[in-house]
Amino acid sequence: MLTLYDYLPSQNAYKVRLLLAQLQLPYRTEIVSIFEGEGQRPEYLAVNPTGAVPAIRLDDGRVIAESNAILFFLAEGTPYLPEDRFTQAKVLQWLSFEGDYVQSTVATLRHWTMTGKLARRPAALVEAKREGSLRTLAILDRELSGRAWLAGLGYSIADIAVFAYVHRAEEAALPLADYPHVMRWIDRVRSQPRFLAETFPYSIDPHSGGELP
Ligand SMILES: N[C@@H](CCC(=O)N[C@@H](CS)C(=O)NCC(=O)O)C(=O)O
């Protein structure tokens, strides 16, 4: 059975949980307590050289890390990754956007906000993250004003990847209501079959107030 290396407040890991639920694929979970340094143990670095979650282990022992690479692998041959070459490239475009724009802004700001780290960060850096987050949301809002889904005619892993942090943007004190097209897209994602609503606050982990090793 597939193993998911997970840390419950991680929305990067949530992306994989959401797709696994929608694909109805059984899996077992191994929690990696990242703030206690478990990601830096040699056994886990052999799974993911960066020490981050998520990662997966296949039945035959092979491992894959990076949330968007995992989504791409699991979705192959399913409606969540259309077969035609152009649409696959559009999916990759949005997976890259998520990795570059969303993770460095909304995701980071959410982490700092929910774990009490904002006050320990330089004000100019926090402001830059906030401006970057607003810019990212504005790009998405503009794109979603003209179509229902990010990468093609239907819901795909591009939507799953971007949805993971964007729908929790208010946890980073970002005003989602200012982005009506993003709001409507969030509702469309939520109404997909076998949608997984459950997410977890950092407060479930008493170690999350500390810095990552
Ligand atoms: N680009 C990576 C980012 C993964 C990531 O930052 N994971 C965080 C949790 S959301 C983590 O495990 N951080 C611990 C660390 O970097 O040591 C992905 O998309 O999977």
Side-chain angles (χ1 to χ4, degrees), residues 133-149:
S133 299
L134 298 176
R135 181 163 170 260
T136 297
L137 292 172
I139 292 169
L140 283 172
D141 204 56
R142 207 163 56 230
E143 286 294 302
L144 289 164
S145 69
R147 59 183 189 280
W149 304 109

Side-chain angles (χ1 to χ4, degrees), residues 10 12 15 34 40 50-54 66-67 103 165 212:
S10 165
N12 280 315
K15 294 173 192 172
I34 53 176
Q40 297 303 317
T50 71
V53 295
E66 287 294 325
S67 58
Q103 289 193 25
Y165 282 102
L212 285 165

Side-chain angles (χ1 to χ4, degrees), residues 24-127:
Q24 297 180 288
L25 278 178
Y27 64 98
R28 57 182 285 275
T29 296
E30 210 160 294
I31 297 292
V32 182
S33 183
I34 53 176
F35 289 99
E36 288 187 285
E38 286 184 3
Q40 297 303 317
R41 289 185 180 163
E43 316 87 74
Y44 188 67
L45 290 174
V47 174
N48 184 357
T50 71
V53 295
I56 58 169
R57 183 185 294 281
L58 309 179
D59 285 343
D60 62 11
R62 289 180 299 170
V63 289
I64 308 174
E66 287 294 325
S67 58
N68 293 339
I70 296 168
L71 293 182
F72 200 85
F73 174 80
L74 293 174
E76 161 82 14
T78 78
Y80 302 100
L81 178 59
E83 272 179 18
D84 81 277
R85 200 171 139 216
F86 181 79
T87 312
Q88 286 206 349
K90 296 304 281 184
V91 168
L92 281 176
Q93 174 186 328
W94 287 103
L95 295 183
S96 304
F97 172 86
E98 197 278 335
D100 284 352
Y101 288 73
V102 180
Q103 289 193 25
S104 64
T105 60
V106 180
T108 303
L109 207 51
R110 173 179 178 269
H111 166 202
W112 293 352
T113 306
M114 294 183 85
T115 58
K117 289 169 197 152
L118 270 189
R120 312 208 292 256
R121 300 290 185 261
L125 179 61
V126 172
E127 189 46 36

Side-chain angles (χ1 to χ4, degrees), residues 171-206:
E171 291 170 339
L174 295 164
L176 263 185
D178 290 354
Y179 304 93
H181 302 291
V182 171
M183 295 282 280
R184 283 198 281 278
W185 166 79
I186 287 172
D187 286 343
R188 286 194 290 280
V189 173
R190 284 196 168 118
S191 64
Q192 290 301 298
R194 298 179 297 281
F195 174 74
L196 177 70
E198 189 173 34
T199 62
F200 299 88
Y202 281 93
S203 57
I204 64 168
D205 175 9

